[in-house]
Amino acid sequence: MAMVSTAEYGKTSWELSVQVDQRDGDEGMRFKLRVKGDLHIGGLMLKLVEKIKAPQDWSDHALWWDQRSCWLLKTHWTLDKYGVQADADLRYTPQHKPLCLQLPNMKTVKLTVSYSAVVFKTVAEICRALNIRRPEELSLLKPPDDPSKKKKKKDKNPALDDILDMDSISGGSGGTGERHSVVSGIGEDDRLQLRFKYHCFFDLNPKYDAVRITQLYEQARWSILLEEIDCTEEEMLMFASLQYHICKMTMSTEPLDFSNEPEMDEVEAALSNLEVTLEGGNTDRILVSVDLFCCCFVTRPKRLTLRPFKEYWFVFKDTTISYYKNKETASGEPIEQLHLRGCEVVPDVNVTDKKFGIKLLLPVADGMNEVYIRCDNETQYSKWKAACTLASKGKTMAYSSYRSEVKNIQSFLQMKSLAPPPGQAAPDLDAMEMNAECFVSPRYTKKYKTKQLTARILEAHQNIARLSLNEAKMRFIQAWQSLPEFGIKYYIVRFRGSKKDELMGISYNRLIRIDMSTGLPVTTWRFANMRQWNVNWEIRQVAIEFDQNVSIAFSCVSCDCKVVHEYIGGYIFLSTRSKDQNETLDEELFHKLTGGQE
């Protein structure tokens, strides 16, 4: 082994400055070390500890590189391999630190988390502490800066009365995806938000999910109140009545006990097992064939024309609607067949005005065809809407979920009705105490006086007054999920070969191409028909291939293409979940589907 002189060592080495945080609240001291590029990270930390000479447990400390916003967790890597040079601003700091976290109900908790772990793992730790199942549905969000608070920067001790300080969480080892660590770009004094990111809520069970249901209800409630999702006036009053009811129930002195909540209705469970059996076996073994027959009205609207609805005889079989001139001609050739697989099903309902319509957006080669179907009554609408929804997913009415879908739609319509149940007296407004403005969005507080809002909310409340607290929250969540725009994230994109910007909607099961000038869907592509997708990181373009040789490519205008890539991969990952997994998740698969390969 050749000896290196002091002069030669000085030529190949440089001075590296590292700030060391010894305890929480300490600003830290800065140490200078003479290092070479072939020094590994573990050796650098050893040199630091020897130079600090402080009797302390350093096992939780790691190196954070401020300019690159990443942790240097691979201790066997050298400084050269990481690209660390003399101008690097390194910090030797604890990986586990307190974090102020705002929950969906707007309450803030303070807990200790691993700042070096990937977000997926840290969220799992947080959810474990809060007793929230299915952490893969949630993520951390950094709220936008509030301009009104910039003048108060000098006040470093904000009031902490509204923060619940929780016990520290036992942290795991640092994750492998340094670029996706919790602290990346986020200051230690920042307050993050815990939110449901992926709107695909698996196995929502009142018996085990009291906290999850409450937080999900709160996120849904605020999305309605802040008008993040559009709803009709009738629907707004229904949501307001449910909020009023939940408030009343929450303020009651009765303790909440979910131990007796049934996991699933026995009949529904049996039907679910039957469905699994049928799906797994030969299709010839399915002996049940469910068809719908009715006299409905249909129209095909065209721009700048108003065409009235015409009456036809409709037959719904499997995933296809056929309509005929009348019942007598149903044995012959239909006027037209509508294949619903992959279509969009949009409700057009006003219970007060007895309007029960269904808008179908049917995929064709050059876009979408619109068809409006008008039903006679609530019962007919519930059956047909449920059948259309299942058919759009490639399922027939033989599936067990058809009955529950019909039941949910009927319950939803009943909640929207403003008429009091038979035999029930009208509410006494003077005897009621209600701050009606708290239950509706600003649009309706401007439109109606307080007394008018109170009267309408109480009218709607009579239909749901007997619900338990948990039932009311579940009904609110289900009604939120039934809104046409539920769970859709919108981004401005430009498709390959196009010269204009368009909107891309990403939902839990599909992509929607939307015309920005009209706001109408142009084409829908379902994840179930996706063969593969990839991102060209050099030109920042997302390319997707579907069945039947359909391929699309687009660049993102309003966001980084990583955002769209992550949503697509995340929803595909969530679609792989099943109850027999015992809630264990393939974290490696999640990162493979959502991580960028830049």
Side-chain angles (χ1 to χ4, degrees):
M1 181 176 177
M3 298 293 291
V4 180
S5 67
T6 304
E8 290 175 330
Y9 182 82
K11 292 178 182 178
T12 59
S13 64
W14 70 88
E15 199 172 63
L16 183 64
S17 178
V18 182
Q19 178 178 311
V20 178
D21 297 337
Q22 292 181 262
R23 295 179 180 83
D24 290 339
D26 286 356
E27 292 188 4
M29 297 178 62
R30 190 163 288 277
F31 292 84
K32 293 184 177 180
L33 300 169
R34 198 79 189 173
V35 298
K36 293 180 65 176
D38 59 358
L39 178 66
H40 54 76
I41 298 300
L44 175 60
M45 291 193 292
L46 183 60
K47 275 178 172 285
L48 266 175
V49 173
E50 290 174 348
K51 191 159 189 176
I52 296 167
K53 297 179 180 178
Q56 178 179 333
D57 182 4
W58 299 97
S59 60
D60 189 48
H61 276 60
L63 287 167
W64 167 255
W65 190 355
D66 198 49
Q67 293 107 317
R68 298 282 183 91
S69 294
C70 69
W71 290 88
L72 309 183
L73 299 174
K74 294 173 179 162
T75 55
H76 61 286
W77 277 26
T78 63
L79 296 177
D80 282 343
K81 191 167 185 179
Y82 264 119
V84 175
Q85 296 180 355
D87 61 346
D89 187 10
L90 300 186
R91 186 176 173 188
Y92 193 48
T93 185
Q95 298 174 67
H96 289 81
K97 299 180 183 181
L99 174 69
C100 283
L101 195 66
Q102 187 195 63
L103 305 181
N105 64 356
M106 302 302 175
K107 299 291 184 183
T108 301
V109 297
K110 187 177 183 181
L111 34 68
T112 300
V113 301
S114 172
Y115 274 57
S116 63
V118 290
V119 173
F120 185 89
K121 186 171 291 185
T122 300
V123 170
E125 290 182 8
I126 292 170
C127 289
R128 196 176 302 118
L130 299 174
N131 196 26
I132 297 176
R133 293 199 310 151
R134 305 296 175 185
E136 66 275 11
E137 298 169 357
L138 298 95
S139 191
L140 299 176
L141 177 68
K142 185 178 182 182
D145 294 330
D146 187 349
S148 64
K149 294 182 179 179
K150 287 185 178 179
K151 297 179 181 179
K152 302 178 181 179
K153 269 191 173 180
K154 294 180 181 178
D155 183 11
K156 295 186 177 180
N157 297 308
L160 300 178
D161 295 340
D162 60 338
I163 299 179
L164 176 62
D165 196 351
M166 301 186 67
D167 292 334
S168 298
I169 308 172
S170 58
S173 59
T176 56
E178 288 87 0
R179 291 174 299 176
H180 303 285
S181 64
V182 176
V183 80
S184 179
I186 296 170
E188 293 175 26
D189 295 327
D190 288 338
R191 188 175 297 195
L192 300 185
Q193 297 174 341
L194 181 69
R195 295 292 184 267
F196 289 88
K197 176 179 179 178
Y198 298 104
H199 287 60
C200 184
F201 315 123
F202 184 70
D203 190 25
L204 202 58
N205 193 322
K207 188 170 184 178
Y208 305 112
D209 291 320
V211 179
R212 183 178 172 212
I213 289 171
T214 296
Q215 297 301 331
L216 195 51
Y217 157 71
E218 290 288 348
Q219 184 163 326
R221 183 173 77 90
W222 282 107
S223 72
I224 298 292
L225 294 179
L226 297 176
E227 298 183 357
E228 293 174 355
I229 185 171
D230 194 30
C231 65
T232 64
E233 182 173 315
E234 191 176 65
E235 290 163 344
M236 179 62 74
L237 292 170
M238 173 200 63
F239 285 122
S241 67
L242 283 167
Q243 290 177 74
Y244 170 65
H245 183 70
I246 290 168
C247 272
K248 284 182 62 178
M249 297 293 291
T250 304
M251 293 170 64
S252 68
T253 56
E254 297 179 12
L256 302 179
D257 181 14
F258 300 107
S259 59
N260 295 324
E261 289 278 358
E263 287 191 45
M264 185 189 289
D265 180 77
E266 292 182 6
V267 176
E268 188 178 342
L271 285 171
S272 181
N273 291 334
L274 174 63
E275 179 183 322
V276 172
T277 303
L278 294 175
E279 283 184 313
N282 192 318
T283 54
D284 294 337
R285 294 174 58 193
I286 301 180
L287 304 179
V288 181
S289 178
V290 184
D291 300 336
L292 281 180
F293 305 91
C294 80
C295 189
C296 285
F297 299 83
V298 68
T299 185
R300 282 184 174 276
K302 294 185 178 179
R303 291 183 182 178
L304 305 178
T305 62
L306 292 174
R307 297 188 63 186
F309 284 88
K310 292 188 67 176
E311 186 177 28
Y312 295 98
W313 179 256
F314 277 68
V315 177
F316 200 135
K317 186 176 180 65
D318 296 331
T319 60
T320 303
I321 293 178
S322 304
Y323 63 93
Y324 306 82
K325 186 176 181 180
N326 50 46
K327 184 177 180 179
E328 287 69 30
T329 60
S331 58
E333 288 293 317
I335 296 174
E336 187 178 13
Q337 278 194 330
L338 308 176
H339 300 283
L340 271 60
R341 187 184 181 98
C343 77
E344 291 291 305
V345 183
V346 182
D348 185 18
V349 175
N350 189 305
V351 178
T352 306
D353 296 339
K354 304 295 182 184
K355 176 185 177 183
F356 304 102
I358 303 171
K359 180 167 73 173
L360 301 176
L361 302 173
L362 304 166
V364 291
D366 57 346
M368 305 282 280
N369 275 344
E370 289 185 29
V371 176
Y372 286 84
I373 298 177
R374 194 176 72 193
C375 301
D376 286 335
N377 50 54
E378 294 182 22
T379 303
Q380 187 184 88
Y381 169 81
S382 300
K383 292 180 179 178
W384 280 74
K385 169 66 164 51
C388 290
T389 301
L390 285 176
S392 70
K393 303 173 185 176
K395 296 182 179 180
T396 71
M397 289 171 281
Y399 277 71
S400 65
S401 55
Y402 173 68
R403 293 186 183 184
S404 60
E405 186 73 22
V406 172
K407 187 178 178 181
N408 288 338
I409 294 170
Q410 289 174 333
S411 299
F412 184 50
L413 294 176
Q414 184 181 0
M415 289 192 297
K416 290 175 70 174
S417 174
L418 299 181
Q424 186 164 320
D428 183 1
L429 294 183
D430 296 327
M432 295 288 183
E433 291 185 7
M434 179 197 299
N435 190 358
E437 291 88 347
C438 295
F439 302 126
V440 296
S441 65
R443 188 195 322 173
Y444 296 100
T445 59
K446 296 175 183 176
K447 185 176 181 180
Y448 295 105
K449 295 180 179 179
T450 302
K451 197 164 185 179
Q452 290 175 310
L453 275 177
T454 302
R456 300 196 69 185
I457 291 172
L458 289 175
E459 285 176 3
H461 176 255
Q462 294 176 89
N463 293 297
I464 50 97
R466 295 185 179 181
L467 294 178
S468 69
L469 177 61
N470 223 37
E471 286 173 335
K473 289 178 181 178
M474 287 294 290
R475 289 285 183 90
F476 194 102
I477 294 168
Q478 290 163 359
W480 176 50
Q481 289 176 293
S482 71
L483 295 176
E485 294 182 6
F486 165 76
I488 301 177
K489 299 292 183 182
Y490 297 97
Y491 301 99
I492 300 174
V493 302
R494 180 166 293 189
F495 282 86
R496 184 171 55 195
S498 175
K499 295 183 179 180
K500 65 175 183 177
D501 292 342
E502 297 179 72
L503 274 181
M504 173 70 81
I506 304 178
S507 182
Y508 73 96
N509 62 352
R510 66 198 188 281
L511 299 175
I512 311 164
R513 185 176 185 175
I514 302 168
D515 188 313
M516 288 185 69
S517 59
T518 64
L520 296 176
V522 177
T523 313
T524 295
W525 302 281
R526 292 196 169 267
F527 292 151
N529 300 327
M530 184 186 294
R531 297 177 61 185
Q532 68 173 13
W533 88 99
N534 60 74
V535 180
N536 185 326
W537 297 109
E538 292 183 4
I539 60 174
R540 320 299 287 181
Q541 188 178 77
V542 181
I544 308 175
E545 292 183 18
F546 297 91
D547 292 338
Q548 299 178 344
N549 296 320
V550 175
S551 62
I552 62 172
F554 56 88
S555 56
C556 300
V557 178
S558 63
C559 68
D560 193 294
C561 62
K562 286 192 294 186
V563 176
V564 172
H565 171 64
E566 191 171 282
Y567 264 112
I568 294 173
Y571 276 127
I572 290 176
F573 172 78
L574 295 185
S575 69
T576 65
R577 295 179 297 181
S578 62
K579 289 187 178 182
D580 59 1
Q581 287 179 321
N582 196 25
E583 298 187 30
T584 56
L585 292 170
D586 188 344
E587 187 178 339
E588 185 178 346
L589 177 62
F590 176 83
H591 291 301
K592 183 178 179 181
L593 291 173
T594 61
Q597 303 295 326
E598 294 182 85

